[in-house]
Amino acid sequence: FAAIGTKIFDLLDGMFAIVLIDIQSGEWWAARDRFGIKPLFMYSANGTVILSSETVSIRALAQCSICNDAIEEWSMIRRPVPGYTYFKEISEVLPGAVLHNGRTISRLSIAPSHSNDRASFDQSTIEYLLRDSVRKHELSDVDNVCLLSGGIDSSIITALSSVGRAYTVGLPGNNEFDAAADTAEQLGKELVQVEVTEEALLDSWKTLINLRGEPLS
């Protein structure tokens, strides 16, 4: 960043939420990955700015009030509308946004802007991107495993990965155990079925709500 400035954000591959501060000038920049996988929130009031990956840490530092409109939105779409949160003083930094001193100065593109040839995006390109992404995500200090539902996404990841074991999690009578078992058999992967009771699920849900201090999406 010191060498090339905000151009660095276009070069980042994958998921990230970053805040950079120039301690000499006081200027700061923030950026969030293109799909918004990593969260980033901003509080701005009375000349104070706080950025965090969670609203609960912001609320530990500043007084915030509940946004009733966001609660209504949660009841309809399971989250506040993009850019907003459950609290009036806290905004969501939008996916792909690059901020300078609190103002959005650019948005990161999902697709390379130099490639306008639709024909060049063929089956081999898709397969390369998928394999390359799975390979990068397998970088780890411990053995990798997969979550497998039997659906398209998890099946592709499990098939392209080097893992030997996959897990499938569900409630009694409400799970994807059969589909996951069929997929695991075809892929030659060991499958571990984890059955969770409804009571355990609700307990975990309540614990997470208490930790976050806001509804779960």
Side-chain angles (χ1 to χ4, degrees):
F1 184 82
I4 65 175
T6 56
K7 292 179 182 178
I8 190 67
F9 299 127
D10 283 311
L11 302 178
L12 297 179
D13 181 17
M15 51 186 178
F16 57 87
I18 299 174
V19 179
L20 295 162
I21 302 174
D22 185 329
I23 59 176
Q24 293 184 335
S25 68
E27 289 184 284
W28 60 271
W29 295 259
R32 188 178 178 198
D33 66 76
R34 294 160 179 80
F35 287 98
I37 301 172
K38 290 296 183 183
L40 187 59
F41 301 101
M42 181 172 68
Y43 167 96
S44 182
N46 303 318
T48 297
V49 176
I50 307 171
L51 291 112
S52 177
S53 59
E54 296 179 300
T55 67
V56 66
S57 53
I58 294 176
R59 289 181 280 122
L61 299 172
Q63 187 69 35
C64 297
S65 52
I66 295 173
C67 177
N68 291 322
D69 288 341
I71 301 298
E72 290 294 323
E73 291 157 4
W74 171 80
S75 69
M76 293 185 290
I77 61 173
R78 298 198 299 176
R79 60 154 291 163
V81 295
Y84 296 86
T85 72
Y86 297 106
F87 305 93
K88 295 178 181 179
E89 296 81 5
I90 304 176
S91 61
E92 175 194 26
V93 177
L94 291 172
V98 178
L99 276 59
H100 177 227
N101 294 338
R103 183 176 62 89
T104 301
I105 57 173
S106 65
R107 293 290 295 275
L108 302 176
S109 174
I110 293 176
S113 59
H114 62 272
S115 178
N116 296 317
D117 183 5
R118 295 178 63 90
S120 65
F121 196 72
D122 54 15
Q123 181 70 20
S124 61
T125 302
I126 293 173
E127 290 185 9
Y128 166 76
L129 291 172
L130 285 171
R131 293 182 185 277
D132 185 59
S133 180
V134 171
R135 179 184 60 81
K136 289 177 179 177
H137 280 80
E138 285 195 298
L139 179 63
S140 174
D141 293 327
V142 297
D143 291 338
N144 288 299
V145 296
C146 277
L147 281 173
L148 179 60
S149 68
I152 293 175
D153 295 344
S154 65
S155 297
I156 290 176
I157 292 172
T158 304
L160 297 180
S161 72
S162 62
V163 304
R165 177 185 299 167
Y167 288 80
T168 180
V169 184
L171 296 166
N174 185 6
N175 55 63
E176 299 167 301
F177 290 167
D178 291 341
D182 289 342
T183 303
E185 183 178 6
Q186 292 187 45
L187 297 177
K189 307 286 187 178
E190 177 191 354
L191 181 67
V192 178
Q193 295 182 355
V194 179
E195 189 171 271
V196 179
T197 65
E198 185 174 333
E199 292 76 14
L201 177 62
L202 290 174
D203 287 343
S204 297
W205 199 354
K206 292 175 182 177
T207 298
L208 290 172
I209 291 172
N210 286 328
L211 287 172
R212 293 170 60 96
E214 62 185 36
L216 294 180
S217 297

